[in-house]
């Protein structure tokens, strides 16, 4: 089998355990997200600003690294730039769009000042990783409890050299992404030329309109995993339905880890709603909902066998592959096998667009990968 090189539209930071202590006053650092593993019970407990959340962990997390951290050893390689690049070379992954990991839990913070300070801290740290290689494209975390702090951090992130911002799929407040109050945020992201990147499974635990991943008992793990994919679709539908792309025609949105065939599917559903319920639809849009989706929205998948067909069979060109490195849902250790299984029988224009071209369109500053050997 020849070596395939692919860009990843979905990868993750491994934040150092002392990130907050290094960057923030002790009283603020103590309120930022931290996780504790109970390997005997098979659980991880997240502490964030006085709240605790406990979840089951996959058995592989039971591997301890040399410092005794209850995390798979490979994950710890992810926060060393040189070891990370070595992993990427081995996997055939060229450039990566990199999201937080423990930082996702910041969406459950309720104090705007704490969230803004924490966002500055993680963004100041992540930009140093990005500066180590043009293959690292980090996302800046945006504090969403007030639109003022959000806009300020978008502008600060752009000045630091970020090319993308990460937003949770629902905001941590009553007003959803359809609300006019977010207009300055979309304008700031658009005018800075940043990609607006959502990652699935990032709903604040108490977000309005979020019904949670609360299945228990038989089938629960699979049902909860399925539920997590929906948030990205909902975020995209909210922006389209609210007319955000009419007012911000240069805004580009990425949805990572949520698969790809949902794009054409919800494009059809949104068009049907727009057409068949026209008397109830507001705001009126300049174009059909599907046109915004096909042009402004990008999505990444990792193992989904049907996903390449979203492009070659359904005509959505904005599909990206993603490794989810170094997370357990990802392809680490079997990226080449997965890529061959997914793409060996796919036409060259489709595979080149999904593995390289769509990412390069979003991040044209990233150098091209070595040629793949098909
Ligand atoms: Mn991911």
């Amino acid at each position: 089998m020849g070596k395939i090189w692919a860009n990843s539209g979905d990868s993750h930071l491994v934040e150092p355990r002392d990130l907050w202590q290094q960057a923030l006053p002790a009283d603020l650092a103590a309120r930022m997200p931290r996780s504790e593993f109970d390997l005997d019970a098979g659980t991880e407990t997240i502490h964030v600003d006085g709240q605790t959340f406990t979840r089951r962990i996959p058995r592989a997390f039971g591997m301890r690294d040399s410092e005794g951290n209850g995390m798979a050893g490979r994950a710890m390689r992810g926060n060393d730039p040189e070891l990370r690049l070595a992993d990427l070379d081995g996997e055939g992954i060229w450039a990566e769009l990199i999201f937080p990991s423990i930082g996702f839990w910041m969406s459950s913070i309720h104090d705007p000042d704490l969230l803004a300070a924490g966002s500055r801290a993680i963004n100041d740290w992540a930009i140093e990783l990005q500066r180590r290689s043009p293959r690292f494209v980090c996302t800046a975390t945006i504090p969403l409890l007030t639109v003022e702090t959000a806009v300020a951090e978008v502008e600060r992130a752009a000045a630091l050299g970020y090319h993308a911002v990460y937003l949770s799929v629902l905001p941590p407040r009553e007003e959803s992404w359809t609300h006019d109050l977010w207009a300055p945020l979309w304008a700031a992201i658009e005018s800075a030329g940043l990609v607006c990147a959502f990652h699935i499974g990032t709903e604040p635990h108490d977000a309005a309109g979020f019904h949670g991943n609360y299945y228990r008992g038989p089938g629960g793990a699979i049902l909860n995993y399925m539920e997590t994919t929906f948030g990205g679709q909902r975020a995209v539908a909210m922006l389209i339905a609210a007319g955000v792309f009419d007012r911000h025609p240069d805004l580009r949105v990425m949805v990572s880890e949520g698969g790809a065939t949902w794009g054409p599917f919800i494009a059809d559903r949104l068009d049907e709603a727009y057409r068949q319920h026209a008397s109830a639809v507001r705001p009126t849009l300049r174009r059909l909902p599907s046109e915004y989706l096909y042009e402004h929205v990008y999505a990444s998948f990792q193992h989904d066998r049907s996903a390449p067909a979203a492009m070659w069979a359904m005509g959505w060109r904005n599909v990206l592959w993603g490794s989810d490195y170094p997370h357990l849902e990802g392809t680490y250790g079997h990226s080449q096998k997965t890529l061959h299984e997914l793409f060996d029988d796919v036409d060259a224009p489709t595979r080149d667009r999904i593995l390289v071209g769509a990412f390069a369109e979003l991040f044209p500053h990233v150098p091209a990968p070595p040629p793949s050997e098909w």
Side-chain angles (χ1 to χ4, degrees), residues 10 12 199 257 324 327:
D10 171 27
H12 292 270
H199 189 287
E257 207 180 308
D324 204 27
H327 286 180

Side-chain angles (χ1 to χ4, degrees), residues 69-91:
N69 295 310
M71 220 176 160
R74 72 184 189 212
M76 300 313 294
R77 294 172 62 85
N79 84 356
D80 180 305
E82 298 308 319
L83 292 175
R84 187 175 184 116
L85 286 169
D87 278 354
L88 299 190
D89 286 344
E91 296 294 306

Side-chain angles (χ1 to χ4, degrees), residues 8-12 97 99-101 104 199-200 256-258 300 302 322-327 329-330:
S8 168
D10 171 27
S11 297
H12 292 270
L97 179 63
F99 290 87
S101 289
F104 279 165
H199 189 287
I200 66 152
S256 293
E257 207 180 308
S300 82
Q302 56 269 34
S323 67
D324 204 27
Y325 176 89
H327 286 180
E329 298 87 351

Side-chain angles (χ1 to χ4, degrees), residues 280-340:
V281 167
R282 52 192 167 275
T284 300
L285 305 176
R286 295 202 189 115
R287 304 164 69 193
L288 279 173
S290 58
E291 296 179 54
Y292 303 106
L293 190 142
Y294 281 107
E295 291 182 20
H296 293 263
V297 180
Y298 296 70
S300 82
F301 68 96
Q302 56 269 34
H303 293 108
D304 310 49
R305 289 163 55 195
S306 66
M311 181 175 163
W312 67 257
M314 304 176 199
W316 191 22
R317 289 177 48 76
N318 297 344
V319 179
L320 291 75
W321 181 76
S323 67
D324 204 27
Y325 176 89
H327 286 180
L328 289 171
E329 298 87 351
T331 65
Y332 182 81
H334 59 270
S335 300
Q336 288 294 305
K337 180 171 182 285
T338 297
L339 289 166
H340 275 287

Side-chain angles (χ1 to χ4, degrees), residues 177-193:
W177 294 132
T178 58
H179 200 283
D180 284 345
L181 82 87
W182 298 111
L185 175 62
W186 311 132
I189 296 170
E190 179 189 39
S191 68

